[in-house]
Structure formats: C-alpha cells, structure tokens
C-alpha cells in the first residue's frame, strides 16, 4: 500500500497505490482507513510506515483548519497519519 500525492508514476507491480495529500486531512483519513483494511486482511507483505512529506512553501494561504500549508504538510499531516494508522 503506497500513498502518493500524484499516484501516476508511483505504481510498482505488486504495490497498491492510493492518493495521499497531506494538505487534505480527509485524504489522510481515507488512506489510514485503507491501511487498516489492508492490515486487517492479513495479506502478506512488509509492515512499515515511512513519512516522507516535505514542502518549503506549498501554494495557497491557510489550510482548512487555519494553519500554514508548510506546517500541515511537514508536521500535522504525517503526525495524524501515524496516530490513526
């Protein structure tokens, strides 16, 4: 299970690719839901979470929750994903 902001080009042969946008907390929750389903299914595979989001100055003003897009992309989104997975 692989989360990518731009899923095209991320796909590997035996990897399920899902959209994951750290600026959209509903995207983070949807990805976590899919991760829970994957883990509950007992499917074989490595169980590893790597948070590799980073942005210096994402476009736009404050996010939906009223914070800096940089703060949400680099800290809040990955923290939320880690906590709910």
């Amino acid at each position: 299970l692989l989360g990518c902001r731009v899923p095209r080009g991320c796909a590997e042969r035996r990897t399920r690719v899902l959209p994951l946008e750290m600026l959209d907390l509903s995207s983070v929750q949807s990805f976590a839901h899919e991760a829970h389903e994957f883990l509950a299914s007992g499917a074989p595979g490595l169980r590893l979470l790597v948070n590799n989001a980073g942005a210096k100055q994402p476009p736009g003003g404050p996010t939906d929750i009223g914070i800096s897009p940089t703060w949400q992309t680099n800290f809040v989104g990955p923290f939320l994903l880690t906590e709910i997975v």
Side-chain angles (χ1 to χ4, degrees):
L1 191 59
L2 177 65
C4 292
R5 188 171 64 84
V6 182
R8 65 176 154 45
C10 292
E12 293 291 327
R13 200 171 97 190
R14 295 183 295 162
T15 303
R16 183 169 168 209
V17 180
L18 299 173
L20 177 58
E21 173 57 69
M22 291 296 175
L23 281 173
D24 179 2
L25 296 182
S26 65
S27 172
V28 174
Q29 289 179 315
S30 292
F31 183 84
H33 175 75
E34 292 291 331
H36 281 268
E37 287 187 2
F38 172 77
L39 293 170
S41 75
L46 182 65
R47 299 323 198 242
L48 178 69
L49 175 63
V50 176
N51 287 318
N52 187 29
K56 185 174 180 185
Q57 293 178 326
T63 64
D64 291 344
I65 60 172
I67 62 174
S68 154
T70 302
W71 182 252
Q72 185 163 324
T73 300
N74 296 339
F75 301 102
V76 176
F79 176 79
L80 177 64
L81 181 61
T82 300
E83 284 297 305
I84 59 181
V85 166

